[in-house]
Amino acid sequence: MAGARALQKEKTRQAIIDAALMHLSAEHSFASMSLREVAREAGIAPTSFYRHFNDMEELGLTLVDESGLTLRELMRKARQRIEKNGSVINTSVETFMEFVERNPNIFRLLLRERSGTSVKFREAVAREISHFKDELTEYLMAESDYSQEYAFTLAEGLVTLVFNAGAEALDLNPIEREKLKERTILQLRFITFGAASTREKA
């Protein structure tokens, strides 16, 4: 019985998260979302919301954490494909752009809260982006024998470029998005080749 209750509680919690994500759009930000509309979409009474989250801010922070985790898991899988003789840059950019195309509301949440008014939200998004930089730093150190500082500097530039491309891709049609993807791949190659050349001359 206790297990069934725990399972139902987790299902309701996930329904609240899904409801909030469904309400996110280019016109509807998380800041403009009300607890009542989230509860209505999730099929629960507003008072039931508080059995799962203390307030809307906690829900928003959960969305940021889970969104970042989902994207990081996709990028890890991309690196696994790379290990099977795939292109590092091509596979990474294609995976990232697929995520943005399939989950525009999630990516908009990360972008908006990155520079939002809430300190906790900004810190949460910064933490997620930091995870990306750290994981890419470790990958670059292992694959290219870069020092930690050199690899981090390169990773920071690559992550910034890709995130900016993702933001631009949100409002593009498929043809424009494909052209952006190609430019991004070329720009990443410029940076990585330049990094290798710079290290050799140092």
Side-chain angles (χ1 to χ4, degrees):
M1 183 65 73
R5 283 199 299 269
L7 181 61
Q8 181 58 47
K9 184 175 181 180
E10 181 57 33
K11 286 177 62 177
T12 302
R13 183 178 186 276
Q14 189 59 50
I16 294 172
I17 291 172
D18 292 342
L21 288 174
M22 285 184 62
H23 272 283
L24 289 172
S25 67
E27 296 76 27
H28 198 182
S29 68
F30 183 80
S32 65
M33 196 179 301
S34 72
L35 186 154
R36 286 187 175 278
E37 63 184 346
V38 171
R40 183 171 59 251
E41 182 69 34
I44 62 172
T47 52
S48 297
F49 175 93
Y50 295 105
R51 297 174 188 168
H52 306 276
F53 299 97
N54 292 325
D55 49 32
M56 286 293 288
E57 182 177 65
E58 185 180 358
L59 171 60
L61 293 173
T62 299
L63 293 180
V64 170
D65 290 343
E66 294 201 358
S67 300
L69 179 59
T70 298
L71 182 51
R72 290 205 309 278
E73 288 177 345
L74 282 176
M75 299 310 292
R76 290 186 193 120
K77 291 179 180 178
R79 285 194 287 272
Q80 291 173 1
R81 296 205 302 272
I82 291 166
E83 292 172 1
K84 298 178 181 178
N85 299 319
S87 165
V88 174
I89 292 176
N90 286 34
T91 304
S92 298
V93 172
E94 287 172 3
T95 301
F96 189 87
M97 288 301 186
E98 284 174 10
F99 173 84
V100 173
E101 184 176 355
R102 295 175 182 176
N103 306 276
N105 294 345
I106 292 178
F107 194 65
R108 281 194 180 92
L109 174 71
L110 294 174
L111 290 176
R112 283 169 172 161
E113 301 309 333
R114 185 181 186 182
S115 57
T117 57
S118 168
V119 174
K120 288 185 178 180
F121 275 122
R122 293 200 303 272
E123 289 177 344
V125 175
R127 192 162 53 245
E128 292 304 319
I129 294 176
S130 180
H131 289 321
F132 278 103
K133 294 176 183 177
D134 291 342
E135 289 189 9
L136 184 54
T137 295
E138 292 180 7
Y139 179 82
L140 292 171
M141 290 172 65
E143 295 297 315
S144 304
D145 195 30
Y146 289 150
S147 68
Q148 195 278 336
E149 182 178 359
Y150 200 92
F152 179 80
T153 301
L154 176 56
E156 189 171 43
L158 297 176
V159 169
T160 299
L161 177 59
V162 171
F163 263 77
N164 287 344
E168 186 178 347
L170 284 170
D171 298 316
L172 300 180
N173 62 45
I175 295 176
E176 292 171 331
R177 190 178 293 121
E178 186 63 26
K179 290 180 179 178
L180 172 63
K181 185 170 68 176
E182 292 174 358
R183 289 201 309 275
T184 303
I185 288 172
L186 186 57
Q187 290 165 349
L188 291 172
R189 285 177 178 161
F190 287 161
I191 294 174
T192 53
F193 291 163
S197 176
T198 301
R199 190 187 67 159
E200 290 173 359
K201 295 177 181 179

